[in-house]
Amino acid sequence: MVELREVDTARAVLRQTPVFNRMKQEEPDRFLKLEHLCGRTYFDTKEVWAGTSKEKRRAQIAHSLSQEVSTVPPQRLMALIGQALKWQQHQGLLPPGTAFDLFRGTAQGTRDEVERYPSQLDRTIKFGKKSHPECAVFSPDGQMLVTGSADGFIEVWDFITGKLKKDLQYQADEQFMMHDEAVLALSFSKDSELLVSGSQDGKIKVWKVRTGQCLRKYERAHTQGVTAVGFSKDGTHVLSSSYDGLVRVHGIKSGKMLKELRGHTSYVNDAIYSPDGSQIVSASSDASVRVWDSKTCDCLTSFRPPQTSTSGEASVNAVHFYPQNPDQIIVCNRSSTVFIMTLHGHVVKSFQSGKREGGDFLACWVSPRGEWIYCLGEDSILYSFSTATGKLENLMQVADKGPIGLCQHPHRNLVATYADEGSLKLWKA
């Protein structure tokens, strides 16, 4: 620094850092030499480098340092990593035969090449006698299944073993993410790092999943229960819908409500961002679907899916963007028919269960590549429709009573269904 004439910086380093303070105590002559060097108006290379060159002096220092540092062969490091992974397998934290990505620090998820409908029970996750899952979601990276319960608990599961993930320290210590009342809605950020949850009392919380830390809390997000939540594409906003009939957008940095979308005349059951983030689609018990401009909050269009029920106008329970066409959505209303529709309200395709009574759909999900639409009926049957043929290819009893909802793994033929009988069931192809 003195050579570069950064004298003030050199003097500050000399007087304020612990290393040079120690030198001042133990080697006062050496310290004074440096002090004098800082006070000079010129820099004498011969005096400083003691008759040698800067490069040679640096080489000498590097050699001295190398004598102090012990090295181990690279294979020793690989052996230690191998032992650590074996220990994780022994503890049940890493399933046997799973490839591990050392750079990401996570197990690589397997990917099913062909989409098939689920046809057999893989495993059952049981909840306490006084609780049951109200919502569930898989993380986008396919590593976690998260449930929100009627008792306010948010739990992260290893869906392969059907047990709580104990590699999350807070869960190993029996500390959980939670709300005061029932958790009705969950959604992950795109990178699977953050989780947003909404509860029966109108509160929304944003969590860091790895630590269980609550990063943001919206105490008065809504005046009634939160029915759906989701992150914006860039992860800076949270979208929510509620039984209070409103759709709102909240800022994660500010912790405040930024936008409010008004127009529905009954409960809003679902709200989602379009894939490019430019639009918001909402579904309501007023039997309508509305498409909004996410920047201006203007309602671009409002439409009602065809009414196939004889008992009045059927509420719209869920909407999903169709993976095969970003300008189309899958609309599920309280009837025995599910629709693929354009954002202007035109029906592209409809899928019917054929059941006249007692089989209205409560919820639906679309497979990752859009080849299957799964509908959960009030009769506890999972209906699997092929989008290619338009036919009902399979139906399967998934609960004894009280079906609530379903979700699918992002790149495997694995569907989770849950009911108020107190269990979540995983179904595989």
Side-chain angles (χ1 to χ4, degrees):
M1 285 188 218
V2 175
E3 188 178 3
L4 295 169
R5 306 315 296 155
E6 295 283 349
V7 180
D8 291 338
T9 309
R11 194 177 282 118
V13 169
L14 191 65
R15 293 175 180 174
Q16 295 172 21
T17 55
V19 173
F20 286 111
N21 286 336
R22 189 174 169 186
M23 182 192 282
K24 189 177 181 180
Q25 300 294 326
E26 297 178 2
E27 301 178 74
D29 293 341
R30 194 176 169 197
F31 182 85
L32 281 170
K33 193 175 177 182
L34 291 170
E35 187 82 76
H36 289 315
L37 197 64
C38 290
R40 288 182 185 174
T41 55
Y42 64 93
F43 184 81
D44 187 345
T45 54
K46 288 183 181 178
E47 182 187 348
V48 172
W49 305 120
T52 184
S53 68
K54 186 199 295 185
E55 286 71 25
K56 286 181 179 177
R57 183 68 186 128
R58 282 182 172 173
Q60 288 170 0
I61 294 169
H63 179 71
S64 301
L65 284 171
S66 69
Q67 302 305 306
E68 301 295 324
V69 178
S70 57
T71 58
V72 293
Q75 61 264 33
R76 176 73 186 127
L77 177 62
M78 294 308 294
L80 287 169
I81 291 171
Q83 287 168 2
L85 293 176
K86 279 183 182 176
W87 173 250
Q88 286 205 356
Q89 284 186 346
H90 176 68
Q91 293 292 304
L93 304 177
L94 189 67
T98 304
F100 194 86
D101 190 328
L102 287 175
F103 294 97
R104 292 184 180 175
T106 57
Q108 291 179 346
T110 54
R111 198 173 278 271
D112 290 334
E113 295 302 319
V114 180
E115 287 197 346
R116 294 190 179 93
Y117 59 78
S119 56
Q120 55 183 312
L121 182 64
D122 185 37
R123 66 184 65 251
T124 301
I125 297 174
K126 291 187 177 178
F127 289 72
K129 288 183 179 179
K130 294 182 179 179
S131 184
H132 63 266
E134 284 282 354
C135 54
V137 65
F138 285 97
S139 59
D141 63 6
Q143 298 296 324
M144 297 173 277
L145 171 65
V146 180
T147 57
S149 303
D151 56 9
F153 280 85
I154 299 169
E155 293 161 302
V156 187
W157 302 88
D158 180 336
F159 57 86
I160 294 172
T161 63
K163 294 178 181 178
L164 285 170
K165 280 181 80 71
K166 292 298 178 74
D167 57 335
L168 298 172
Q169 191 57 49
Y170 59 96
Q171 290 201 155
D173 296 338
E174 297 196 351
Q175 301 290 319
F176 294 92
M177 300 180 281
M178 67 182 301
H179 281 260
D180 296 330
E181 292 193 29
V183 181
L184 305 182
L186 291 167
S187 185
F188 270 96
S189 60
K190 201 175 177 182
D191 60 6
S192 303
E193 292 291 323
L194 303 181
L195 179 76
V196 59
S197 57
S199 59
Q200 181 73 55
D201 53 9
K203 294 178 183 177
I204 290 174
K205 294 182 182 182
V206 177
W207 309 87
K208 191 170 179 66
V209 184
R210 286 283 152 210
T211 62
Q213 178 189 2
C214 182
L215 301 178
R216 182 64 70 198
K217 191 186 293 184
Y218 306 89
E219 291 284 356
R220 291 182 292 277
H222 289 277
T223 56
Q224 294 182 45
V226 179
T227 55
V229 285
F231 285 97
S232 60
K233 191 180 180 183
D234 60 4
T236 59
H237 299 146
V238 168
L239 173 69
S240 65
S241 61
S242 168
Y243 290 128
D244 62 13
L246 300 172
V247 177
R248 286 175 169 170
V249 177
H250 315 266
I252 290 181
K253 275 191 178 179
S254 67
K256 296 177 180 176
M257 183 191 77
L258 304 177
K259 296 170 184 174
E260 185 174 270
L261 312 181
R262 290 174 171 267
H264 285 296
T265 56
S266 185
Y267 305 149
V268 183
N269 300 313
D270 201 1
I272 54 172
Y273 276 109
S274 61
D276 64 2
S278 65
Q279 296 174 328
I280 292 168
V281 179
S282 58
S284 170
S285 291
D286 63 12
S288 75
V289 174
R290 285 178 177 255
V291 182
W292 314 78
D293 185 301
S294 59
K295 283 188 178 177
T296 65
C297 301
D298 293 335
C299 182
L300 303 175
T301 182
S302 174
F303 59 87
R304 295 175 180 233
Q307 297 298 317
T308 56
S309 172
T310 54
S311 57
E313 294 188 323
S315 66
V316 186
N317 302 324
V319 282
H320 295 274
F321 271 89
Y322 186 34
Q324 296 182 11
N325 189 331
D327 295 323
Q328 295 176 358
I329 53 174
I330 291 153
V331 180
C332 172
N333 63 3
R334 190 78 188 240
S335 71
S336 58
T337 307
V338 64
F339 305 92
I340 296 177
M341 303 181 75
T342 67
L343 292 173
H344 298 290
H346 303 300
V347 175
V348 178
K349 234 176 201 180
S350 61
F351 307 85
Q352 297 175 334
S353 72
K355 200 163 185 177
R356 293 282 177 89
E357 289 181 4
D360 289 350
F361 299 145
L362 303 175
C364 84
W365 205 272
V366 60
S367 64
R369 293 196 285 273
E371 294 174 20
W372 297 93
I373 295 173
Y374 305 114
C375 295
L376 181 64
E378 61 186 358
D379 52 4
S380 300
I381 289 176
L382 181 68
Y383 296 85
S384 300
F385 296 99
S386 166
T387 57
T389 65
K391 294 178 181 176
L392 172 63
E393 299 289 346
N394 190 58
L395 58 162
M396 175 174 66
Q397 186 88 23
V398 294
D400 293 329
K401 59 177 182 176
I404 295 174
L406 77 163
C407 63
Q408 183 174 5
H409 192 279
H411 39 253
R412 292 184 62 187
N413 297 317
L414 191 69
V415 172
T417 61
Y418 42 96
D420 63 14
E421 62 190 13
S423 66
L424 178 144
K425 292 177 181 177
L426 290 156
W427 305 88
K428 62 183 181 180

